[in-house]
Amino acid sequence: MILSIESSCDDSSIAITSIETKKLLFHKKISQEEKHSSYGGVVPELASRLHAIDLPNILEETKPYLDNLKAVAVTNQPGLGVTLLEGIAMAKTIAVTKDIPLIPVHHLKGHIYSLFIEKEEILPLLVLLISGGHTQIIRVESLEKMTILATSIDDSVGESFDKTAKMMGLGYPGGPIIEQLARKGDENRFDLPVPLRNSKLIAFSLSGLKNAVRLTIESLGGIEGMSEQDRCDLSASFQKAVKLHLIQKSKKIFKEEHIKDFAIVGGASANLYIREAYEKLCNQFGKRLHTAPLKFCSDNAGMIGRYAIEAYKKELFINPYKIDIVHTKKRQSGEML
Ligand code: KG4
Ligand code: ZN
């Protein structure tokens, strides 16, 4: 069995996965969302303190499995330094005291492996990763060969939902709130710009759209001046512009990349409106669409454990005395993940 730990942002999570059957034997996650909600975003120091409390509490529940561990895995990049360190400290202690290998896991690769929890890998694969920190299209050929085909030049998809919700005085995380409001709204009421619509650039950008949302809110009289219907209509119009942007750029990549299997992963992949749009696009291009179950879209240790099974077979271990967080520099398109 592998014990895996995830603490890259505001979710404390630990999983136990069977190496042989790939089954998730234990999985628990304590989300801090409510604790950060009043601040309109994650407060790193608070997140770190909460991991220091929650991770040991979850670990205690894994006691029945601890004698059967073959390895321990932990997210060590990318993420908030002070929160990654909490998971790393726990993982290195377990690895040293039990004398078992330690597997460092790249969080985004973990998201990709959320597709294969309790399943076999599907490779090669094209992946759209939309999370709180990233928007990328990645060609996945193997565990080690993942190439970025398009990336964001400013705000990520999740971030743009969070900021839109914050500007309207709604809670955090903004994604699910905006998606719910949008269901009751008219997506054609506000004519928001589709980012990079007339640009040949195959990249993602959402800061201009965010600005257009801000101006619209101002024109409606600010947070106080907006009615419930205004909020629903603006959410729907915003979500539509994000969708059109993602689809337009994905289409360009679909014309070049002939891999049959396509997947959407990351926290924002829970958005059913975006999923529906990709279902249509995949049908049009004869691709198969894959998504993870909703509970595995946002951060969780199950996906870290699933990646770790493959890394274990390839002995991608790290010296537990030497493990540290990796400060990932922003990767450009054409680079490896
Ligand atoms: O993958 P994730 O849990 O954390 C990161 O790795 O960043 O993604 C969290 C992000 C948040 O920005 C959240 O607002 C967004 O995913 N999100 C959504 C939805 N559910 C979560 N965005 C759009 N629609 C949703 N239904
Ligand atoms: Zn994530």
Side-chain angles (χ1 to χ4, degrees):
M1 291 169 197
I2 294 180
L3 182 144
S4 55
I5 305 171
E6 159 62 38
S7 70
S8 66
C9 192
D10 59 346
D11 294 295
S12 313
S13 183
I14 299 183
I16 303 277
T17 315
S18 158
I19 297 170
E20 205 186 319
T21 65
K22 303 182 175 69
K23 282 252 176 314
L24 207 49
L25 305 172
F26 171 92
H27 187 223
K28 186 158 179 180
K29 155 167 150 170
I30 299 179
S31 173
Q32 309 172 353
E33 280 170 0
E34 260 177 42
K35 307 251 172 48
H36 296 282
S37 186
S38 60
Y39 302 100
V42 178
V43 181
E45 282 301 323
L46 173 63
S48 165
R49 283 299 308 142
L50 293 170
H51 285 306
I53 296 165
D54 293 333
L55 284 175
N57 281 335
I58 305 177
L59 185 68
E60 200 174 7
E61 293 183 43
T62 66
K63 266 187 185 164
Y65 304 97
L66 295 184
D67 284 340
N68 297 313
L69 296 185
K70 286 270 185 288
V72 54
V74 66
T75 306
N76 73 332
Q77 63 167 315
L80 299 169
V82 290
T83 64
L84 286 169
L85 280 176
E86 293 295 334
I88 290 175
M90 176 174 272
K92 74 164 90 170
T93 309
I94 298 171
V96 169
T97 53
K98 294 200 131 332
D99 195 20
I100 52 175
L102 177 59
I103 302 168
V105 182
H106 190 298
H107 181 77
L108 303 185
K109 293 185 179 179
H111 271 302
I112 293 170
Y113 273 74
S114 68
L115 295 163
F116 312 134
I117 291 175
E118 305 198 332
K119 281 200 220 157
E120 292 301 323
E121 290 166 285
I122 300 162
L123 294 174
L125 182 69
L126 272 184
V127 176
L128 170 72
L129 185 145
I130 41 177
S131 68
H134 296 80
T135 305
Q136 292 183 339
I137 295 186
I138 305 156
R139 190 200 300 119
V140 182
E141 287 163 87
S142 69
L143 205 60
E144 288 124 317
K145 197 165 180 209
M146 301 192 187
T147 314
I148 298 170
L149 303 177
T151 188
S152 56
I153 50 182
D154 44 55
D155 294 358
S156 70
V157 170
E159 202 177 355
S160 74
F161 274 79
D162 294 338
K163 288 182 177 168
T164 295
K166 193 176 177 181
M167 285 189 280
M168 287 200 278
L170 307 168
Y172 170 86
I177 302 171
I178 298 284
E179 186 184 5
Q180 285 301 326
L181 290 180
R183 292 216 178 106
K184 296 175 275 172
D186 171 7
E187 64 177 21
N188 298 316
R189 173 157 165 216
F190 300 106
D191 190 19
L192 299 174
V194 176
L196 305 178
R197 184 174 18 198
N198 300 314
S199 164
K200 285 206 168 73
L201 204 63
I202 304 185
F204 301 105
S205 165
L206 288 161
S207 66
L209 176 60
K210 175 183 67 185
N211 204 35
V213 168
R214 186 178 58 76
L215 294 173
T216 309
I217 293 171
E218 275 172 27
S219 75
L220 292 166
I223 294 176
E224 284 80 29
M226 288 179 82
S227 68
E228 181 63 11
Q229 195 57 48
D230 289 340
R231 279 191 283 276
C232 294
D233 293 346
L234 185 54
S235 296
S237 305
F238 159 78
Q239 193 175 245
K240 180 186 167 195
V242 174
K243 171 197 80 175
L244 291 175
H245 175 43
L246 290 174
I247 293 289
Q248 191 203 10
K249 297 303 173 189
S250 303
K251 220 180 218 175
K252 286 193 196 287
I253 289 189
F254 278 19
K255 284 181 185 155
E256 304 285 319
E257 296 284 330
H258 301 293
I259 294 171
K260 281 278 166 230
D261 292 287
F262 175 77
I264 326 176
V265 301
S269 74
N271 187 299
L272 300 180
Y273 177 82
I274 293 176
R275 283 189 180 199
E276 247 171 55
Y278 273 96
E279 234 160 66
K280 280 196 199 128
L281 187 72
C282 284
N283 280 339
Q284 203 182 321
F285 280 83
K287 294 195 191 294
R288 282 179 294 261
L289 176 67
H290 304 272
T291 49
L294 288 180
K295 64 177 173 184
F296 295 128
C297 290
S298 58
D299 294 348
N300 65 85
M303 66 189 198
I304 303 302
R306 181 62 187 88
Y307 174 90
I309 294 176
E310 304 305 325
Y312 179 81
K313 290 185 207 154
K314 295 189 171 177
E315 299 189 8
L316 302 177
F317 306 143
I318 192 168
N319 179 341
Y321 294 97
K322 300 267 160 54
I323 186 173
D324 195 359
I325 54 171
V326 177
H327 289 289
T328 337
K329 96 171 184 355
K330 196 171 174 353
R331 301 260 199 279
Q332 302 305 322
S333 123
E335 287 189 281
M336 299 293 264
L337 189 64

